Amino acid sequence: MTAAIPSNVAYYSNGYYYTTDGQQIPISGTQTQETSYISQTEADTLELSSAATSSETCTDGKDDGKIGFLGALGNMVKGVGKTIVNGVKGMFTDKEGNFSLGKTLLSIGTAALCIAVPAVGVAACAVGAVAGGVQVAKGAIAASQAETDAEAKEAWQNIGGGAFTAAISVVGAKAGVKSVMASSTAGVNGGSALSEVGNKASIIKKATALGKDAISSTKNNLSKIKTNILTKAGASETHVSDLKTSKELLKEAKKSGNADEIATAKELVSESKSSVSADIKENIGSYKEAAKINSLRNKASNIKGATTDAEGKLLQELEIRETFASDATKSALSNIETAKSQISNTLSNTGTKTLNALRHPIKTAKSIPSGISGTSAKVWQAIKENASYDQLVNKFGQETVDNAILAIGTVYSIN
């Protein structure tokens, strides 16, 4: 049985094929649960087809896999650029390259978690550093075995991308360790355990101390996060503080073993939980009402001139709800408007930065690339005529512009 050639193969060289994510896979080997092999004829076909579809070409007149020092350096820089572009796109798009709200929220949530719990950020950076190092090693092997200039260029781009990933991961890890130490109370004096270990201490001792700091930092930060979540959910700071205090009293009571003290502490915990729950329930109700008012306002903004009976009822309902809105509902409305403004500003800033990165290749292009058509082509033309991001959104709509910029960015990140 012949193994199917993986769809993400970049090129073939010396008995191996190399995937776009940096993997080196032998031509013969286990590809599925069954052992399957690819023939040399198929391998040669793969090599020819990958060279034909590669965006890289020979530019020095000798397609021999040797591109020189400047060529290697230039492709390393290009690899860094591709890593940045693909990394940013990957945070906001799905496998098909389409904007994904779920992927965006996951990326934002992951970043927020790494900031809120530094130990998680350190672990993530450690994984990134290792992955970057592996990519550099694989790229180096591919560069040494390159038989065509296209293979050499792709290999050096992988080296550049891997080196960049490793470098920023190391920088991130160092910053994360500092944050872990700052929020740790694992030391003898209530500070960082790592700070109490001398510079001449062994790596094992330093690693052990950092491990203690990571555990302590995570516990301390999760406690803060829990308090912040309850407060953001609508619980008063007083009730959240009472709940924390009552839980501490219950711990102490359980240590003493006094049945009366345990019973009293449990009652306090129960009362505090009820107060917090009541606050959150009231707050949720306020946000539900605020969301309803916000929806009616959006619908009312589209009503122009004479109104129908249905529109008249909508305006009347909006007036009644606004008139009798509680202070909590008004506060929730204000928070919703602030959040909408922040999201809009973030999208605008991100869109503007992305657009500025694409503006030069668009301005200097003689014609619209074949990979850009339809509405994306109209957006492309408007960008060429110096339209700003906000002007594009006003003309074509937020989602249309963002999808067009992603499509344009994809074409320019490949070519």
Side-chain angles (χ1 to χ4, degrees), residues 63-206:
D63 195 11
D64 54 3
K66 298 176 181 179
I67 58 176
F69 173 75
L70 292 178
L73 182 61
N75 278 281
M76 283 182 69
V77 173
K78 186 173 182 179
V80 172
K82 280 187 175 182
T83 298
I84 295 173
V85 171
N86 292 333
V88 172
K89 287 196 311 183
M91 292 176 67
F92 308 108
T93 60
D94 57 22
K95 292 180 179 179
E96 285 71 40
N98 300 317
F99 174 77
S100 168
L101 178 60
K103 192 71 176 291
T104 300
L105 293 176
L106 177 61
S107 298
I108 293 172
T110 302
L113 179 61
C114 290
I115 294 171
V117 186
V120 175
V122 172
C125 288
V127 172
V130 172
V134 170
Q135 185 176 342
V136 169
K138 290 181 177 179
I141 293 172
S144 68
Q145 298 176 343
E147 297 178 348
T148 67
D149 285 10
E151 292 177 1
K153 290 178 179 180
E154 293 284 356
W156 280 104
Q157 287 171 27
N158 279 333
I159 291 173
F164 175 75
T165 298
I168 61 171
S169 296
V170 170
V171 172
K174 287 182 178 179
V177 169
K178 288 182 179 179
S179 297
V180 167
M181 293 172 65
S183 55
S184 170
T185 54
V188 176
N189 298 317
S192 164
L194 185 58
S195 65
E196 297 175 356
V197 176
N199 291 330
K200 295 182 179 180
S202 66
I203 294 178
I204 294 177
K205 284 186 177 180
K206 289 181 179 179

Side-chain angles (χ1 to χ4, degrees), residues 96-375:
E96 285 71 40
N98 300 317
F99 174 77
S100 168
L101 178 60
K103 192 71 176 291
T104 300
L105 293 176
L106 177 61
S107 298
I108 293 172
T110 302
L113 179 61
C114 290
I115 294 171
V117 186
V120 175
V122 172
C125 288
V127 172
V130 172
V134 170
Q135 185 176 342
V136 169
K138 290 181 177 179
I141 293 172
S144 68
Q145 298 176 343
E147 297 178 348
T148 67
D149 285 10
E151 292 177 1
K153 290 178 179 180
E154 293 284 356
W156 280 104
Q157 287 171 27
N158 279 333
I159 291 173
F164 175 75
T165 298
I168 61 171
S169 296
V170 170
V171 172
K174 287 182 178 179
V177 169
K178 288 182 179 179
S179 297
V180 167
M181 293 172 65
S183 55
S184 170
T185 54
V188 176
N189 298 317
S192 164
L194 185 58
S195 65
E196 297 175 356
V197 176
N199 291 330
K200 295 182 179 180
S202 66
I203 294 178
I204 294 177
K205 284 186 177 180
K206 289 181 179 179
T208 301
L210 178 58
K212 291 179 180 178
D213 280 342
I215 294 172
S216 174
S217 171
T218 300
K219 286 182 178 179
N220 293 338
N221 282 293
L222 287 177
S223 177
K224 291 179 182 178
I225 291 172
K226 186 175 181 180
T227 298
N228 289 337
I229 288 174
L230 291 176
T231 303
K232 292 291 185 182
S236 70
E237 292 183 7
T238 300
H239 289 159
V240 172
S241 178
D242 289 344
L243 177 59
K244 186 176 181 180
T245 301
S246 63
K247 286 185 175 181
E248 290 173 353
L249 288 174
L250 180 57
K251 283 183 180 179
E252 294 299 322
K254 287 182 176 180
K255 287 181 181 179
S256 68
N258 188 302
D260 291 337
E261 290 181 2
I262 293 174
T264 300
K266 283 184 176 180
E267 187 175 346
L268 288 174
V269 170
S270 179
E271 290 175 357
S272 298
K273 284 184 177 180
S274 296
S275 297
V276 168
S277 297
D279 289 345
I280 294 174
K281 185 176 181 180
E282 181 182 353
N283 191 54
I284 291 174
S286 298
Y287 270 93
K288 283 184 176 179
E289 178 62 15
K292 180 63 178 178
I293 293 174
N294 185 66
S295 175
L296 290 171
R297 285 177 176 177
N298 290 335
K299 292 177 181 178
S301 65
N302 295 321
I303 297 176
K304 295 180 176 63
T307 62
T308 63
D309 288 342
E311 291 173 338
K313 289 180 179 179
L314 185 151
L315 294 173
Q316 185 178 27
E317 180 184 356
L318 174 59
E319 183 180 1
I320 293 173
R321 288 181 181 272
E322 287 181 329
T323 301
F324 293 98
S326 64
D327 290 340
T329 298
K330 291 177 182 178
S331 177
L333 271 169
S334 177
N335 290 338
I336 289 174
E337 290 300 323
T338 300
K340 285 170 60 180
S341 177
Q342 290 175 340
I343 292 172
S344 177
N345 290 337
T346 299
L347 290 173
S348 180
N349 291 336
T350 303
T352 298
K353 290 178 180 178
T354 306
L355 178 58
N356 288 339
L358 294 171
R359 195 178 293 280
H360 178 69
I362 290 175
K363 292 279 287 184
T364 55
K366 294 181 180 179
S367 60
I368 299 177
S370 59
I372 302 172
S373 60
T375 305

Side-chain angles (χ1 to χ4, degrees), residues 34-50:
E34 299 177 17
T35 301
S36 52
Y37 301 90
I38 182 170
S39 67
Q40 187 61 44
T41 301
E42 289 174 309
D44 293 337
T45 301
L46 170 61
E47 182 175 15
L48 290 171
S49 63
S50 65

